[in-house]
Amino acid sequence: MPVSGPATGSAAPVSAAVAALRAAGESGDADAIAEVLAPDVVFHSPMTMRLRFEGRQEVVELHRDIFAVLDDLTTSEPLAVGDTGSFSFRARVRGVELEAMNLVRCNEHGQIVDYTVFVRALPGLATLFAALPPRVSARRRGRLKGTLAASLARPLAFAIRTADRFVPAFL
């Protein structure tokens, strides 16, 4: 199956949605993301298989939190095949670099219905885990649960960043 660009054949609605998602990400505009999300969109967390965010409003709110913790976000050129599109991005969270891949599936109206993010390397993911869930938890469940989430996630992020500095010397 050929890979298509932004204006090619059946992938055109997907390409338009991905282009809008990229632009919103680079400008940190969560409200602009709402324009390309289906009302029943499902966002799959890169941090755990146990958590999904469902519905346009919840995914927009999540992106407000995401954009609050990411710095210097830049995106790559997208790929689109059929109803599926993807692009990668690089950013920093608390000074730690990460790279991620967004994979989206669109409906016949060019709206994103399924949205999955994959993050690497482990120190970036761990630092994101220490920064984002406490924010999301505080917004959704209250400040006390946000503080608890931070207390659980920060030591893990520290341990992984420390191991990342030393373990490569032993390989």
Side-chain angles (χ1 to χ4, degrees), residues 138-162:
R139 173 178 55 81
R140 295 175 83 196
R141 310 277 187 241
R143 184 179 293 188
L144 180 62
K145 289 198 177 177
T147 301
L148 179 60
S151 298
L152 294 170
R154 284 185 185 136
L156 175 64
F158 174 77
I160 289 172
R161 285 192 311 267
T162 302

Side-chain angles (χ1 to χ4, degrees), residues 97-130:
E97 290 184 45
L98 61 83
E99 183 175 24
M101 174 67 69
N102 286 353
L103 180 65
V104 300
R105 190 175 48 79
C106 294
N107 62 20
E108 62 277 1
H109 306 292
Q111 297 173 314
I112 297 170
V113 295
D114 196 68
Y115 186 169
T116 304
V117 179
F118 304 93
V119 178
R120 65 171 300 276
L122 192 52
L125 177 60
T127 305
L128 182 63
F129 186 67

Side-chain angles (χ1 to χ4, degrees), residues 4-20:
S4 59
T8 305
S10 65
V14 173
S15 294
V18 170

